[in-house]
Amino acid sequence: MSSLDAETVLLSILFLVIIENALEIYISLRQVKVYRTALKVPAELTSHMGEETFHKARKYGLDQENFGIFKAVVMDVGLLCLELYVGLIAVLWQLSEQVVERLQWDSKNEIIVSCVFVLISNVLSTFKGLPFKIYKIFVLEETHGFNKQTARFFAWDQLKGFLVTQVLMIPITAAIIFIVQRGGDNFFIWLWIFTGVISLVLLTLYPIFIAPLFDKYTPLEKGALRQSIEDLAASLKFPLTKLFVVEGSKRSSHSNAYFYGLWNSKRIVLFDTLLLNKGKSNDSDLSEDEKGKGCTDEEVLAVLGHELGHWKLGHVTKNIIIMQVHLFLMFLVFGNVFKYPPFYVAMGFQPGTRPILVGLLIVFTYVLAPYNALMNFAMTILSRRFEYQADEFAFKLGFAEQLGQALIKLNVDNLGFPVYDWLYSTWNHSHPTLLQRLNRLKELKEDKKLN
């Protein structure tokens, strides 16, 4: 192996990082232009969105996009390229070995060193990202009226998030290294099976045991809305076992709804911000800007009709299958190329040192970067198709008007800007835009009349 090979690998990685981010920034700048030039409310929304709200949404979108571009330039181009060039990964690995030696553990045991490496890397990553998180929440979101977090809540939330991440990541890291070391020539198959099982386990356990550590979940009170949701679920044979409201308003005024669970045990979660006046019959406890926000019971049902459409149409299952095939292909490539010495020398390691975890990082993040970009784009296109199908499912349930009203209301409440550059939307949006969804509902109504 020559130093030229390692230099070529490093330059290729730096080139990919710069090109990928340059493309992202270019696409974002196209949308920035739209925010600056789209000054009139679209005709379809003039009766739903006032000039003041439209310009608030435009300013919010512009601030978000500019912040995203700044973060990409600083973190994803400048800092990352500097870290790669100076061989930070190798430095952190050496530091991990030194920590293990000081603790009088076996520094030749790659599993132990890898676990310490993960911990040190996560500490560094947390501190690198912290200024941007603080600015986003306490400046950007605060300025536009969405942040509900106090400094104390934020600090405790970050600490809990960090600790939970380590509790999950360190054992998984140890298992991955063990499988690669002991799995033989076909270790990638066992690695794929392991990650598949872990994904399903976390998909099941996270909402039950981990999510409640961060937000308060309470059963939806008995009443007309709960009964209507239960009736809708029963009519679709959706195995609803629990129905929760999450107190998302302590974190943000953005709203959402989702379901989770495998097989015959499903749970539906509604954000309190989704419900009209947070679901409270007495709005005296609400601030003036909170009053009147949220969806009516009929609109909430329409939103859930859309979400249950994803389940009925098998979208979740299809996504899981696609991602498992995707993971298998990535592990297959990893199994065949991770021993290539120049990868590690390019990262700053001495010849002969090839940590498995670093190899996984190099292959997944950089070697497969073009494939990942294409895969993400394909999944974005598929996601939009699924969203249209779920909208049509809700339409067939009789929620045409209510779904349209809910989409508009949620867009207005969340200061969603309704105008987008076509390339920006095609590349980034996993959901069709508001205008695209409203136009599709209109087409479905016209087709129904004709038929």
Side-chain angles (χ1 to χ4, degrees), residues 30 53 77 85 99 102 121 129 179 219 221 228-230 237 248 304-305 309 321 327 363 443:
R30 290 174 62 102
T53 303
V77 179
Y85 185 77
V99 170
R102 288 198 175 188
S121 298
I179 291 170
E221 295 178 357
S228 298
I229 293 173
E230 289 174 345
K237 298 181 180 180
L304 287 179
I321 292 172
L327 271 176
V363 174
E443 289 173 1

Side-chain angles (χ1 to χ4, degrees), residues 3 10 34 77 81 95 100 121 140 146 160 162 165 229 234 272 279 292 301 339 381 417:
S3 59
L10 177 60
V34 171
V77 179
C81 288
L95 178 60
V100 170
S121 298
L140 200 156
F146 288 112
K160 283 190 293 185
F162 179 81
T165 300
I229 293 173
D272 61 346
L301 273 180
K339 291 183 178 179
I381 294 173
F417 193 65

Side-chain angles (χ1 to χ4, degrees), residues 54-69:
F54 178 79
H55 287 296
K56 281 183 179 179
R58 186 176 68 83
K59 185 68 166 61
Y60 180 48
L62 181 61
D63 287 350
Q64 281 186 309
E65 210 61 49
N66 282 331
F67 171 71
I69 292 171

Side-chain angles (χ1 to χ4, degrees), residues 179-239:
I179 291 170
V180 175
Q181 289 177 336
R182 306 293 180 87
D185 292 338
N186 294 322
F187 74 85
F188 62 89
I189 297 176
W190 299 111
L191 200 54
W192 171 64
I193 293 172
F194 170 74
T195 54
V197 171
I198 288 295
S199 298
L200 292 177
V201 169
L202 290 178
L203 194 64
T204 305
L205 298 183
Y206 179 85
I208 301 172
F209 298 106
I210 300 174
L213 297 174
F214 299 90
D215 296 295
K216 183 180 179 181
Y217 291 75
T218 56
L220 179 64
E221 295 178 357
K222 290 183 179 180
L225 178 58
R226 185 183 182 95
Q227 188 60 53
S228 298
I229 293 173
E230 289 174 345
D231 291 344
L232 175 62
S235 70
L236 299 174
K237 298 181 180 180
F238 179 79

Side-chain angles (χ1 to χ4, degrees), residues 20 23-24 322 326 368-382 426-427:
E20 183 176 359
L23 174 63
E24 295 280 356
I322 290 171
H326 170 60
L368 291 172
Y371 165 75
N372 285 330
L374 291 175
M375 183 66 184
N376 288 338
F377 181 55
M379 291 303 295
T380 299
I381 294 173
L382 181 64
T426 302
W427 184 255

Side-chain angles (χ1 to χ4, degrees), residues 121-135:
S121 298
N122 286 343
V123 169
L124 179 62
S125 178
T126 298
F127 279 103
K128 280 194 304 183
L130 200 56
F132 295 95
K133 279 187 179 179
I134 292 172
Y135 178 85

Side-chain angles (χ1 to χ4, degrees), residues 434-446:
L434 172 64
L435 294 180
Q436 288 171 335
R437 294 177 77 174
L438 292 177
N439 287 336
R440 179 57 181 154
L441 287 172
K442 185 178 178 182
E443 289 173 1
L444 291 171
K445 290 176 189 175
E446 293 173 352

Side-chain angles (χ1 to χ4, degrees), residues 82-98:
L82 179 63
E83 290 174 355
L84 290 169
Y85 185 77
V86 301
L88 181 65
I89 294 175
V91 172
L92 294 180
W93 185 265
Q94 290 172 355
L95 178 60
S96 303
E97 290 179 325
Q98 292 169 7

